[in-house]
Amino acid sequence: MHQLALDYIQKLLSIPSPTGFTGMAADYLMETLQGMGFSPVKHRKGGVWCELGGEGKGLLLSAHVDTLGAMVRSVKGNGRIRYTHIGGWADSTVETENCLVHTRDGRTYSATVQSTKASQHVFGDMNGDTRGENTLEIVLDEVVKRKQDVEKLGIETGCFISWDPRTVLTGSGYLKSRHLDDKASAGMLLALAQWVAEGKVKLNRRVAILFTVFEEVGHGASMQLPDGIEDILAVDMGCVGDDLACDETMVSICVKDSAGPYHYEFTNELIAMAKEKGIDYAADVYPSYSSDTATALRAGNDCRFALIGTGVFASHGYERTHVKGIENTCRLILAVLA
Ligand SMILES: [Zn+2]
């Protein structure tokens, strides 16, 4: 299943979808799931729900397709753009990144995030400034010399800005890209749906998938879940770094994050399944992380809840995972529901 997931992941990564501007990604999900023979539902808020079939205790698998990005905060007098953050990211991670500016009437322009002192030959020392909204700006690839020139292009306060994902799959199996959080997981759920549609997976219980679109700003799965959903399994990135056992080749099982401990029995079941099937996993604690399970619980749903995902290095920057991590995550998903 993971090879199919890789194809879907790369397709999803190519569709710009900063939080608040996820319509194209949702349309792709709807068309793809309908093409498989399912009857997905697009929520008014913008997310996509799809019942995959099966009977008995309902399991919901969720992933989010909204990503980090930015919005035009204002257009400067010289035609450069001041941005405002969408989601939580460090400004240093976007310096010199290519991007797209999406106007509200459907036009798209290419641009680059640059330092306000972008030339070594003009400004000398470029290292001194802390990177932030005042020291970085968006430079359009259009001949614009003043604010009015930019406004004529339809670019104004409120236009969305998406980063170039720069997706690269290396011969050694690393997948490098922005927005692996959480399109890596969304691609896996699409691959699962296709396997169910093709009869390659027999579901041992009722299974639904949910693609949320406001996770990065904290209310992705804030909704009343349908009757019968007893377990929520968020499929979202695992963290890689200091004090963590997970790396890019493993599936992470999160035991506690900033919202507190994950459900004891459900998490135990996942760890036991990983051990039994020989799936390479790491159980880790993420103090600076929160998932869509917390938003679903705070909305009043009474469910068991857990979080798994492929290990992602440099999260919320130029991220990296590995084909083996995607494979281990797919195997754990299949262990839960087949
Ligand atoms: Zn995420």
Side-chain angles (χ1 to χ4, degrees):
M1 190 173 99
H2 69 282
Q3 288 297 344
L4 181 61
L6 259 180
D7 294 341
Y8 280 124
I9 292 166
Q10 290 173 87
K11 175 66 190 174
L12 284 166
L13 288 167
S14 74
I15 303 173
S17 59
T19 310
F21 186 68
T22 52
M24 289 186 287
D27 289 347
Y28 171 73
L29 293 169
M30 290 293 291
E31 285 164 19
T32 303
L33 291 163
Q34 283 163 349
M36 294 175 191
F38 294 109
S39 303
V41 176
K42 189 171 167 185
H43 291 150
R44 284 188 286 273
K45 183 167 147 179
V48 172
W49 178 281
C50 186
E51 295 279 344
L52 297 188
E55 284 180 14
K57 293 181 176 177
L59 167 69
L60 175 63
L61 299 168
S62 75
H64 65 92
V65 291
D66 62 311
T67 72
L68 306 174
M71 181 182 265
V72 176
R73 172 172 171 158
S74 58
V75 179
K76 301 181 185 181
N78 63 0
R80 303 285 168 80
I81 291 170
R82 185 171 182 186
Y83 60 79
T84 180
H85 293 67
I86 292 179
W89 46 271
D91 296 83
S92 57
T93 62
V94 299
E95 184 172 6
T96 73
E97 188 61 276
N98 286 324
C99 59
L100 296 174
V101 179
H102 307 268
T103 71
R104 285 184 177 263
D105 60 5
R107 286 177 275 176
T108 303
Y109 298 96
S110 69
T112 306
V113 187
Q114 292 282 15
S115 164
T116 52
K117 296 179 184 173
S119 174
Q120 184 77 50
H121 300 93
V122 178
F123 295 100
D125 179 20
M126 294 165 59
N127 287 323
D129 291 337
T130 301
R131 271 46 178 170
E133 291 175 17
N134 293 319
T135 53
L136 296 177
E137 60 189 4
I138 309 281
V139 181
L140 288 164
D141 300 327
E142 300 289 327
V143 180
V144 287
K145 298 185 178 179
R146 56 189 84 77
K147 183 175 182 177
Q148 292 86 337
D149 299 337
V150 176
E151 287 169 346
K152 277 188 201 142
L153 300 174
I155 296 172
E156 54 196 7
T157 300
C159 290
F160 281 88
I161 299 164
S162 62
W163 310 134
D164 182 345
R166 275 192 290 131
T167 306
V168 177
L169 180 58
T170 70
S172 53
Y174 280 106
L175 179 62
K176 302 191 291 182
S177 182
R178 289 184 181 280
H179 314 322
L180 291 173
D181 170 18
D182 187 24
K183 289 181 171 173
S185 308
M188 289 185 238
L189 296 193
L190 282 180
L192 169 68
Q194 185 171 327
W195 267 34
V196 171
E198 291 174 351
K200 290 179 177 158
V201 184
K202 193 161 164 28
L203 300 174
N204 62 13
R205 56 190 299 188
R206 174 187 166 197
V207 176
I209 54 177
L210 171 64
F211 299 91
T212 68
V213 290
F214 283 95
E215 194 274 350
E216 293 293 358
V217 295
H219 61 87
S222 278
M223 55 179 282
Q224 196 57 52
L225 297 174
D227 283 347
I229 297 296
E230 300 191 13
D231 292 341
I232 310 175
L233 181 59
V235 189
D236 205 337
M237 46 152 267
C239 301
V240 173
D242 271 358
D243 201 31
L244 297 169
C246 191
D247 68 30
E248 296 99 312
T249 65
M250 303 164 84
V251 55
S252 157
I253 301 173
C254 183
V255 290
K256 175 180 178 285
D257 67 14
S258 68
Y262 279 83
H263 191 276
Y264 189 71
E265 283 83 12
F266 194 11
T267 302
N268 282 353
E269 287 167 21
L270 292 167
I271 291 171
M273 280 179 220
K275 282 183 176 159
E276 185 197 324
K277 307 258 178 193
I279 296 168
D280 197 8
Y281 80 96
D284 271 324
V285 172
Y286 301 147
S288 307
Y289 192 114
S290 181
S291 77
D292 263 339
T293 62
T295 63
L297 294 167
R298 289 189 182 116
N301 295 291
D302 179 21
C303 297
R304 306 195 312 163
F305 55 101
L307 167 66
I308 64 170
T310 184
V312 170
F313 172 66
S315 57
H316 282 200
Y318 185 48
E319 300 169 341
R320 188 177 82 160
T321 190
H322 193 275
V323 174
K324 286 234 167 301
I326 295 168
E327 181 179 7
N328 281 311
T329 308
C330 286
R331 289 181 63 202
L332 188 54
I333 290 170
L334 291 174
V336 174
L337 51 73

